[in-house]
Amino acid sequence: MINVAVLGASGRMGATTCRAVESAEDMALVAALDAGDEVAMAVRAGAEVMVDFTVPSATEANVHAAIEAGLHCVVGTTGWTADALARVDEHLKERPELGVLIAPNFALGAVLAMRLSAAAARYFESVEIVELHHPDKVDAPSGTARHTAAGIAAARATAGVAPSPDATTEDPDGARGAVVDGIHVHAVRLRGLVAHEEIMMGNPGEQFTIRTDSFDRVSFMPGVLLGVREVAMHPGLTVGLDGYMSL
Amino acid sequence: MINVAVLGASGRMGATTCRAVESAEDMALVAALDAGDEVAMAVRAGAEVMVDFTVPSATEANVHAAIEAGLHCVVGTTGWTADALARVDEHLKERPELGVLIAPNFALGAVLAMRLSAAAARYFESVEIVELHHPDKVDAPSGTARHTAAGIAAARATAGVAPSPDATTEDPDGARGAVVDGIHVHAVRLRGLVAHEEIMMGNPGEQFTIRTDSFDRVSFMPGVLLGVREVAMHPGLTVGLDGYMSL
Amino acid sequence: MINVAVLGASGRMGATTCRAVESAEDMALVAALDAGDEVAMAVRAGAEVMVDFTVPSATEANVHAAIEAGLHCVVGTTGWTADALARVDEHLKERPELGVLIAPNFALGAVLAMRLSAAAARYFESVEIVELHHPDKVDAPSGTARHTAAGIAAARATAGVAPSPDATTEDPDGARGAVVDGIHVHAVRLRGLVAHEEIMMGNPGEQFTIRTDSFDRVSFMPGVLLGVREVAMHPGLTVGLDGYMSL
Amino acid sequence: MINVAVLGASGRMGATTCRAVESAEDMALVAALDAGDEVAMAVRAGAEVMVDFTVPSATEANVHAAIEAGLHCVVGTTGWTADALARVDEHLKERPELGVLIAPNFALGAVLAMRLSAAAARYFESVEIVELHHPDKVDAPSGTARHTAAGIAAARATAGVAPSPDATTEDPDGARGAVVDGIHVHAVRLRGLVAHEEIMMGNPGEQFTIRTDSFDRVSFMPGVLLGVREVAMHPGLTVGLDGYMSL
């Protein structure tokens, strides 16, 4: 049984995490804390793992306090800079038995899509990405699609793969979409959708497609619980959930 | 048994048509003609229906000669102007028993996709189109996608449907694609693809998708044979294969 | 402004309908009624249209009372027999100005998928259906898939289309799925899905696919509102929402 | 420049391989051999790598002759038994610098789909497979789908994942398809298709899909060329193309 404290427990992700921890047979929710509560309360409640879904301005101090107190950390709060990550890495040298996971995305499907498409992309002549979201989203393309494109581009560069062929000479209205690190990325916005991504690859006579669909915030929970289960077995700082996945 | 003459029989579409007519149990190929041959030869061979897959500079004269000779016509050659169509319409008044079908696209799937998506689009808040082709195509988006968008836009305007919602304010690289008659159209180019189109519609909690995939020139043959079978039953000029389809 | 009364307002579909009517700019919710309330209350509240999402044992009496009181009816309650429908039809002869819509399915996507796939299926050599649902569903295939198959089979029979070709001689484990009215139907069950259907058609070198995805009960609301808006313009009994759709 | 000899050069796969080798900038086709020709001819022509697309009755002797002559081997011929593989393994101990690749499937997309779906499947509650082929195929499900299911089942068993949930109690016509190693497998047959496979996985609120489409025999060529390029760097016997892929 893993004793878990959730910080940011009244936020949307935090509240969903509390319910998921309570439902997991191998975990106990020992503290559901919020702004103003102390990490010390998590310790007194007997927590072994702290899950942080707070706000960018609070998360770094929370993690350092948790390390000080001997808690493993699973962090979903965004806004971590390279400098802030380096400070956590440094601090952990004093406590080499502790694990800290800082992950921008806990959706297993999205994480797998990024990782597996990067692995596969060197074997295909062409790669393009279509991301699809609800029409209230203000930015295009999505951050996930940008990361996916960057990962694919890096993997293809390392393997020495040529750019995807494209004979387009007439495209007066921009139908070919954005180009991110040399990869074409298209953004669809449709009422009824939530968050979806399709990575398409092609060779002569052959297509290969990876698609991920996220319909609901609960889709992040298997990833959060995976983090909680594995964090004690991965001492030191890990950035990105795929560091815990054996692929 | 329908006696068929094919003009442009040594071209790629014409040759494929000859094989399809020969394979059809209810048709006989009585003449396979080419540049320099006369429509009169089709008549002497006993043809009832002339199929024209020649060139833009020859097709109009062929059709008028066929009408003169009492042949029904199925025409897949492109390049017909509104004036040229009007002249055929006028000529047919002298021979009210004859049918002429002039169709820019004989792919049943593509024709159905255009027609059915226009019928469905008024019932959804959002509509977008993704067309996908081989990477040797020089123009984007495809003509089929432009026609599909135009048909959908016209149907939505007639029904008084509001534009698809879109909150995008940041799209520095053009990921949202082209806008054709108010409909977003995205063009994907991948090695291994031939010609594909996906029309996506959305309401709260619901998606509706029509997709058509064309892998090979033979995909036009069911449409050509449908035209040959039906042309005698549709006197006068018909533009577009959907005029023969009961939907 | 259309004045609407909802019967069964505290049920899940009824409550969702109340919210949808309140949100619609051209409608007013004048009565939200439940078991024990009288249709007469809807009349006193000034309703013109009654929406019935009650229970099979109550809906027929509700409709007759509404006809008596001069209300148009939109009915989503299931359990209507052919005899019960005939009694409504008979009753409406006394009130020829009233419209009654009784629809088993208000999901526009599903209704369109059934109707448009039946229209398209005669033009393709092969047709198969894959339906996909959450893994808590107890029956396979879904009723919607059975209806879709029946509609397609009837349309193909009318058009004289041959059965879909199938050379399978070895299928020891039943991978080819169910055969409903001559159409192969496959049922997929996956955690995370809600209700989805894909109708696939094929000719040489060509595929044509219609897909509908329903993620949420709110997906029925555009269909219910369409019924409310149109019912006064369709006097008499109409069974099925597609009777109000111009396709 | 890699000097390549093709055995079985007049067969369909062999002929396609000859063209692919000739088109590759880093390879030279030095011998195109057939039944009755000697492996010795490949040696005299200066070959470094022998590609074998012959017949089950000839391939084992070809490989042993090639090992004797000091050639690396890439073998696509089927029919290899465990005993035959063991004899090659034994023979290679005498020539530890030589590589032999024996692969039942050179379609990169299919190989990747098997490998990556096995890697991903432990992270999802549900998994099912739909394979889709042309209607002239006599067996269902396809061998590729069976292999994919077996690989997924083994990976899930190793990770201790529970069976996919399924509440089905009524399925009179077998719509739930085949069950292969505990994984539901559905076989679709449609005119116009070639060889396609979709592996679907689901968690609450989330879907993850891998799809592979093979339209043409040329789709095997990138895999064959990958084998030719890599065989010298993988001494010993390798079974399956994924042994050469870094995933």
Side-chain angles (χ1 to χ4, degrees), chain D residues 54-233:
Chain D
T54 58
V55 291
S57 59
T59 186
E60 188 180 353
N62 290 340
V63 169
H64 286 288
I67 292 171
E68 207 63 48
L71 298 181
H72 304 286
C73 300
V74 173
V75 180
T77 314
T78 56
W80 284 82
T81 64
D83 282 354
L85 292 172
R87 285 189 290 269
V88 170
D89 201 30
E90 188 63 29
H91 194 171
L92 281 169
K93 287 177 185 162
E94 302 170 12
R95 302 296 298 259
E97 79 285 9
L98 290 181
V100 172
L101 169 68
I102 299 181
N105 194 338
F106 279 100
L108 288 173
V111 171
L112 283 164
M114 275 189 243
R115 176 69 180 274
L116 300 187
S117 64
R122 58 178 291 191
Y123 297 107
F124 293 92
E125 209 176 318
S126 299
V127 185
E128 299 207 4
I129 297 171
V130 178
E131 57 92 334
L132 313 93
H133 283 83
H134 59 85
D136 301 322
K137 185 170 177 59
V138 295
D139 57 318
S142 68
T144 298
R146 285 190 181 278
H147 281 120
T148 306
I152 287 172
R156 284 167 70 92
T158 301
V161 178
S164 300
D166 183 4
T168 310
T169 53
E170 285 177 59
D171 181 13
D173 302 313
R176 293 285 288 119
V179 180
V180 176
D181 290 352
I183 310 287
H184 281 265
V185 179
H186 310 269
V188 173
R189 298 291 174 261
L190 282 180
R191 180 67 70 211
L193 290 177
V194 183
H196 315 255
E197 188 184 26
E198 190 159 328
I199 303 128
M200 291 176 286
M201 313 184 196
N203 271 340
E206 183 179 37
Q207 296 291 304
F208 183 73
T209 309
I210 293 177
R211 180 175 172 116
T212 176
D213 298 273
S214 182
F215 305 119
D216 195 293
R217 191 175 308 122
V218 299
S219 70
F220 297 109
M221 289 307 116
V224 172
L225 298 188
L226 176 68
V228 170
R229 284 190 187 104
E230 298 273 329
V231 67
M233 284 172 275

Side-chain angles (χ1 to χ4, degrees), chain A residues 107-109 112-113 116 119 122-124 203-216 218-219 222 245-246, chain D residues 107-109 112-113 116 122-124 204-216 218-219 222 245-247:
Chain A
L108 288 172
L112 282 164
L116 301 187
R122 60 179 289 192
Y123 297 107
F124 293 91
N203 271 340
E206 182 179 37
Q207 296 290 304
F208 183 72
T209 309
I210 293 178
R211 180 175 172 117
T212 176
D213 296 272
S214 182
F215 305 119
D216 194 293
V218 301
S219 70
M245 299 170 79
S246 43
Chain D
L108 288 173
L112 283 164
L116 300 187
R122 58 178 291 191
Y123 297 107
F124 293 92
E206 183 179 37
Q207 296 291 304
F208 183 73
T209 309
I210 293 177
R211 180 175 172 116
T212 176
D213 298 273
S214 182
F215 305 119
D216 195 293
V218 299
S219 70
M245 297 171 79
S246 44
L247 299 170

Side-chain angles (χ1 to χ4, degrees), chain C residues 19-193:
Chain C
R19 282 193 297 275
V21 168
E22 287 175 320
S23 300
E25 294 185 2
D26 56 344
M27 298 181 194
L29 180 69
V30 297
L33 304 171
D34 254 306
D37 296 318
E38 299 286 310
V39 171
M41 291 176 67
V43 179
R44 281 196 297 276
E48 298 154 79
V49 176
M50 177 187 91
V51 178
D52 183 292
F53 277 112
T54 59
V55 291
S57 60
T59 185
E60 187 180 353
N62 289 340
V63 169
H64 286 289
I67 294 170
E68 208 63 49
L71 298 182
H72 304 286
C73 300
V74 173
V75 181
T77 314
T78 55
W80 285 84
T81 62
D83 281 354
L85 292 172
R87 287 189 288 269
V88 170
D89 201 31
E90 188 64 28
H91 194 171
L92 280 169
K93 287 177 184 162
E94 301 170 14
R95 302 294 299 259
E97 79 285 9
L98 291 181
V100 172
L101 169 68
I102 298 180
N105 194 338
F106 280 101
L108 289 173
V111 172
L112 282 164
M114 275 189 243
R115 176 68 179 277
L116 300 188
S117 64
R122 60 180 289 191
Y123 297 107
F124 293 91
E125 208 175 317
S126 298
V127 185
E128 298 207 4
I129 296 172
V130 178
E131 57 92 335
L132 313 95
H133 283 83
H134 58 85
D136 302 323
K137 187 171 177 59
V138 296
D139 57 316
S142 68
T144 300
R146 285 191 181 278
H147 281 120
T148 306
I152 287 171
R156 284 167 71 92
T158 302
V161 178
S164 300
D166 184 5
T168 310
T169 53
E170 286 177 58
D171 181 13
D173 303 313
R176 292 285 290 119
V179 180
V180 177
D181 290 353
I183 310 287
H184 282 265
V185 179
H186 311 269
V188 173
R189 298 291 174 262
L190 283 180
R191 181 67 70 211
L193 289 178

Side-chain angles (χ1 to χ4, degrees), chain A residues 24-136:
Chain A
E25 295 184 1
D26 56 346
M27 298 181 195
L29 180 69
V30 296
L33 304 172
D34 255 305
D37 295 319
E38 299 286 310
V39 169
M41 292 176 66
V43 179
R44 282 196 296 276
E48 298 154 78
V49 176
M50 176 187 90
V51 178
D52 183 291
F53 277 113
T54 58
V55 290
S57 60
T59 187
E60 188 181 353
N62 290 340
V63 170
H64 285 289
I67 293 171
E68 206 63 48
L71 298 181
H72 303 287
C73 300
V74 173
V75 181
T77 314
T78 55
W80 285 83
T81 62
D83 281 353
L85 292 172
R87 286 189 289 268
V88 171
D89 202 30
E90 188 62 29
H91 194 172
L92 281 168
K93 287 177 185 162
E94 302 170 14
R95 301 296 299 259
E97 78 285 9
L98 291 181
V100 173
L101 170 67
I102 298 181
N105 194 337
F106 281 100
L108 288 172
V111 172
L112 282 164
M114 275 189 244
R115 176 68 179 276
L116 301 187
S117 64
R122 60 179 289 192
Y123 297 107
F124 293 91
E125 207 176 318
S126 299
V127 185
E128 298 207 4
I129 297 172
V130 178
E131 56 92 337
L132 312 93
H133 283 83
H134 58 83
D136 302 323

Side-chain angles (χ1 to χ4, degrees), chain B residues 6-8 34-37 39 50-68 71-81 84-85 87-88 91 100-104 106 237:
Chain B
V6 175
L7 265 70
D34 255 304
D37 293 320
V39 172
M50 175 187 91
V51 178
D52 182 291
F53 278 112
T54 58
V55 290
S57 60
T59 185
E60 188 179 354
N62 289 341
V63 170
H64 285 288
I67 293 171
E68 206 64 48
L71 298 181
H72 304 287
C73 300
V74 173
V75 181
T77 314
T78 56
W80 284 83
T81 63
L85 293 172
R87 287 190 288 269
V88 170
H91 194 171
V100 172
L101 170 66
I102 299 181
F106 280 100
L237 173 63

